[in-house]
Amino acid sequence: MNYQEIGNHSKVTEFILVGLSSHPTPQSILFWALMFLYTVTLVGNGVIIFLVAASSQLHTPMYFFLGNLSFLDLLFSTSAVPLIMVNSLKNFPTISYSSCFAQLAIRAFLALAECFLLAIMAYDRFVAISDPLRYNLVMSSQVCLLMALTAWMTAFTLTITPILLFPISFCGHNTVNHFSCEVQAIFKLLCSNTFSLEIMMMACAVISMPLPLIFILISYLFILRAVLRIRPTEARFKAFSTCGSHLTVVTIYFGTLIYIYVRPQTKKSQDGDKIVSIFYAAVTPMLNPLIYTLRNKDVKDALGRVTCGAKS
C-alpha cells in the first residue's frame, strides 16, 4: 500500500519514481551507460585513494584533500547510481518513505561536503603559490586534518539541522517526477507548512554554495595576482598550471549545481533536469579522477611506479 489513513488524510509510506522512459530500449541503454560510468568511477577514484595512501610522493596537503575528494565522489555516486540503474529496468519503480528520506539526506550531506572541500583546496593552492616557503608550516598535517573534518562536520550540521528543527510530512500525491529522491521533486509533495523550512533551507543553501564559491573566486584572484608577480614566464605558467585541475573540477561541479538548483523550474525544465542530474550523479564523479590523472605529473608518476612495481 502507498498510504496509511491518519484522520482525514492519507500518510505517504512509499513513492513512485518517474524515470526518463518506460520503453525497454531506452531503459536498457541507460542501464548499461550507467554501469560503464559507475565502474569507471569506482576504479578511478579507488586508484586515486590508493595512490595517495601508498605513495610517499603524494603525502602532501594537496593530495590529502584530493584523496578526500575522491572518497566523496565514490560515496556520492554509490548513493545514487546503483538505485537509478535498478529503477531504469522497472516501469513503475517505488521507494519507501524511509529509504527515500535517507537517500535525500545522504546525498545532500555529500554534496555540501564537496562544496566546502573544493573551497579548502582553493585555499591550499593559494598558500602554495603565494607563500611557498611557509607552505608546509601553514598547511601542516594537523591543520589539513582539522580543515577536512571541519568540511565534513559543517556539511553534516547543515544537513541535519532542518531535519531536526522542522519535521515534515507527505500526504496525497506520492508520484515523484524524478528517477531518484531529488530535493526539488520531493519538496513539491509536502503537505505540512513549509515556510519555516524554506527559510532554513535557504540559509543553509547560502552557506553551502554561494559562500564557498565566492571564497574560491577570491582565492583565485589572489592566486592570479601572485602568479603575475612571478618571473620568468615559464615559472609563472608552471605555478598556475598546478591550479588547472582544481579549477576545471570547480567549474564542472558548481556549474552543474547552479544549472539544477538556481534556474526557475518549469515542467519542461524538470524533464531536462533529469538528464543533468545523471551528469551530476554519474559523470562528474567519474571525470574528477580523470582530470587529476591526465593533468598531474605527480599522480601519473606514482601510478607508473605502482604499475612497474606490480609487473616486477
Side-chain angles (χ1 to χ4, degrees), residues 155-206:
F156 178 79
T157 302
L158 291 175
T159 302
I160 205 71
T161 299
I163 297 174
L164 295 178
L165 293 182
F166 304 102
I168 59 176
S169 60
F170 299 89
C171 57
H173 299 292
N174 71 326
T175 301
V176 179
N177 188 21
H178 217 279
F179 45 70
S180 64
C181 291
E182 182 67 28
V183 60
Q184 290 179 319
I186 292 293
F187 202 77
K188 293 172 181 171
L189 303 181
L190 293 175
C191 62
S192 54
N193 190 347
T194 62
F195 178 77
S196 299
L197 178 60
E198 289 180 36
I199 297 298
M200 175 60 71
M201 291 182 65
M202 180 63 68
C204 293
V206 169

Side-chain angles (χ1 to χ4, degrees), residues 72-297:
L72 264 174
D73 286 336
L74 195 151
L75 291 179
F76 186 82
S77 184
T78 301
S79 70
V81 176
L83 179 63
I84 299 174
M85 290 171 58
V86 172
N87 289 341
S88 67
L89 299 179
K90 300 178 180 178
N91 290 327
F92 299 100
T94 61
I95 185 171
S96 67
Y97 173 88
S98 56
S99 297
C100 182
F101 202 77
Q103 184 191 60
L104 189 65
I106 291 171
R107 291 186 65 187
F109 162 63
L110 296 173
L112 298 183
E114 185 152 345
C115 288
F116 295 123
L117 185 61
L118 289 174
I120 291 173
M121 294 174 75
Y123 176 74
D124 170 72
R125 292 297 82 208
F126 162 70
V127 176
I129 293 175
S130 64
D131 197 3
L133 297 179
R134 298 179 63 247
Y135 175 63
N136 290 328
L137 178 63
V138 174
M139 301 298 292
S140 64
S141 57
Q142 293 85 356
V143 171
C144 291
L145 181 60
L146 179 62
M147 294 175 77
L149 287 175
T150 300
W152 287 87
M153 292 307 299
T154 303
F156 178 79
T157 302
L158 291 175
T159 302
I160 205 71
T161 299
I163 297 174
L164 295 178
L165 293 182
F166 304 102
I168 59 176
S169 60
F170 299 89
C171 57
H173 299 292
N174 71 326
T175 301
V176 179
N177 188 21
H178 217 279
F179 45 70
S180 64
C181 291
E182 182 67 28
V183 60
Q184 290 179 319
I186 292 293
F187 202 77
K188 293 172 181 171
L189 303 181
L190 293 175
C191 62
S192 54
N193 190 347
T194 62
F195 178 77
S196 299
L197 178 60
E198 289 180 36
I199 297 298
M200 175 60 71
M201 291 182 65
M202 180 63 68
C204 293
V206 169
I207 296 173
S208 61
M209 191 171 73
L211 288 185
L213 183 56
I214 291 172
F215 181 85
I216 292 171
L217 295 176
I218 293 174
S219 296
Y220 271 101
L221 288 176
F222 280 103
I223 288 173
L224 181 61
R225 187 179 69 172
V227 167
L228 292 177
R229 294 176 178 175
I230 298 176
R231 298 290 186 273
T233 305
E234 291 79 8
R236 180 189 304 170
F237 177 78
K238 182 178 179 180
F240 195 74
S241 66
T242 62
C243 304
S245 298
H246 177 259
L247 198 55
T248 303
V249 170
V250 166
T251 302
I252 294 173
Y253 186 76
F254 280 97
T256 307
L257 282 180
I258 291 171
Y259 183 87
I260 294 176
Y261 296 110
V262 175
R263 291 184 310 119
Q265 292 291 302
T266 63
K267 178 63 172 65
K268 186 175 181 179
S269 70
Q270 289 173 15
D271 294 335
D273 285 347
K274 295 179 185 180
I275 303 294
V276 180
S277 293
I278 290 180
F279 181 88
Y280 177 54
V283 180
T284 301
M286 180 205 69
L287 288 178
N288 290 351
L290 295 178
I291 292 170
Y292 276 98
T293 302
L294 296 176
R295 296 178 61 92
N296 193 292
K297 185 176 183 297

Side-chain angles (χ1 to χ4, degrees), residues 46-65:
V47 168
I48 293 290
I49 294 171
F50 172 76
L51 290 176
V52 170
S55 177
S56 58
Q57 182 185 0
L58 302 183
H59 290 173
T60 65
M62 184 176 96
Y63 296 109
F64 169 76
F65 293 126

